[in-house]
Amino acid sequence: MDSKRFAKEFVEESVLLAEERAKQLAQDETPLGKEDLIRALLTNAWREFNMGVLPSARQMVQMGEDHLDLKLLLTKQAAEEYLHSRIFLERAQELGASGNLTDFQTTEEDWDLFRINNDWDHPWEIAASFQCTGEILLIPVLKHMMKTMDPITAQLIKEQVLIHEGAHIQTGRKIIERFAVTEEIQARVRAIRDQKFGIKKRTVIPA
């Protein structure tokens, strides 16, 4: 299949899968207590950095000397992912948590997601897992989480996090369009998405 058509259809399919996942989450809108809210904020802060900033940077390195247009988009994404991390961390700090991200106690779930976002050899593999699966799933999951959070936190997510996610998805689509030019690569892209969704079924907070 032509890579442009493949990338477009791949993103559309991922959106449908994410919507199905969101329907499962929508069954529970119990408001988060303070401790659970802090934990959710810190988890998102850690994941935005380790599974947002780092894979974006890794993609740039993997591209070598070429593809400056994509590198510029990835630089913007990395900066926005860092901003998201700071937003979550600073809100947690306002609620009484440590403002030092290195104090966060990770889970095996966090590291499973870290590995599937980062442990790839090619930028299109990362795009399949990160921008074109994880970021797509992030939108409905964050929208659901907002319903369980206090108005201040929900407003921060709406105005300073969600506004960037659509552009991040399009960056991933452009990477897949650029590199997924063979049937073998396209099959690999789909397999990575299946693997990512398999892990996401065991998690609650997105990345």
Side-chain angles (χ1 to χ4, degrees):
M1 184 187 299
D2 170 77
S3 65
K4 185 173 183 178
R5 177 185 167 194
F6 172 78
K8 180 178 181 291
E9 291 185 2
F10 182 79
V11 168
E12 290 172 348
E13 292 164 4
S14 294
V15 170
L16 293 176
L17 289 168
E19 289 174 351
E20 287 300 312
R21 171 66 171 150
K23 289 177 183 177
Q24 300 171 17
L25 293 172
Q27 298 173 11
D28 183 6
E29 295 183 2
T30 305
L32 293 175
K34 183 178 179 180
E35 293 304 314
D36 288 336
L37 175 58
I38 288 173
R39 176 70 190 181
L41 290 167
L42 292 175
T43 298
N44 276 279
W46 189 90
R47 293 183 181 184
E48 289 281 353
F49 181 79
N50 287 280
M51 292 174 278
V53 177
L54 297 188
S56 300
R58 187 171 174 83
Q59 285 173 302
M60 285 188 273
V61 173
Q62 290 170 340
M63 289 178 187
E65 298 178 358
D66 300 321
H67 311 291
L68 179 59
D69 57 330
L70 297 178
K71 289 177 183 176
L72 291 172
L73 293 173
L74 287 166
T75 299
K76 182 175 183 292
Q77 177 168 358
E80 290 167 350
E81 302 288 5
Y82 181 71
L83 172 64
H84 298 171
S85 179
R86 294 303 308 173
I87 289 166
F88 285 120
L89 185 62
E90 288 170 6
R91 179 58 181 152
Q93 190 175 16
E94 289 174 358
L95 296 172
S98 166
N100 190 341
L101 195 56
T102 61
D103 293 336
F104 176 68
Q105 298 297 308
T106 55
T107 65
E108 187 56 36
E109 204 172 81
D110 294 318
W111 289 111
D112 283 345
L113 288 168
F114 173 87
R115 285 185 285 269
I116 199 166
N117 268 25
N118 287 282
D119 288 359
W120 304 105
D121 297 324
H122 304 286
W124 51 267
E125 292 175 312
I126 293 177
S129 177
F130 173 35
Q131 288 105 339
C132 294
T133 299
E135 295 280 59
I136 289 173
L137 183 57
L138 179 64
I139 293 173
V141 173
L142 275 183
K143 286 180 178 178
H144 169 262
M145 288 180 64
M146 287 166 58
K147 298 177 183 179
T148 72
M149 294 176 166
D150 64 280
I152 294 174
T153 305
Q155 193 72 9
L156 283 171
I157 292 172
K158 179 182 178 180
E159 294 181 353
Q160 300 190 50
V161 178
L162 282 173
I163 59 169
H164 299 131
E165 301 306 337
H168 298 174
I169 293 165
Q170 292 308 311
T171 295
R173 180 189 61 77
K174 290 175 182 177
I175 292 170
I176 290 175
E177 182 181 318
R178 181 75 53 86
F179 292 98
V181 294
T182 68
E183 291 184 2
E184 291 77 12
I185 292 177
Q186 292 173 8
R188 179 64 175 152
V189 166
R190 292 186 187 279
I192 289 170
R193 178 176 61 194
D194 291 344
Q195 186 179 348
K196 179 68 173 280
F197 265 98
I199 289 177
K200 294 301 294 182
K201 287 178 181 178
R202 307 197 303 271
T203 69
V204 177
I205 300 172

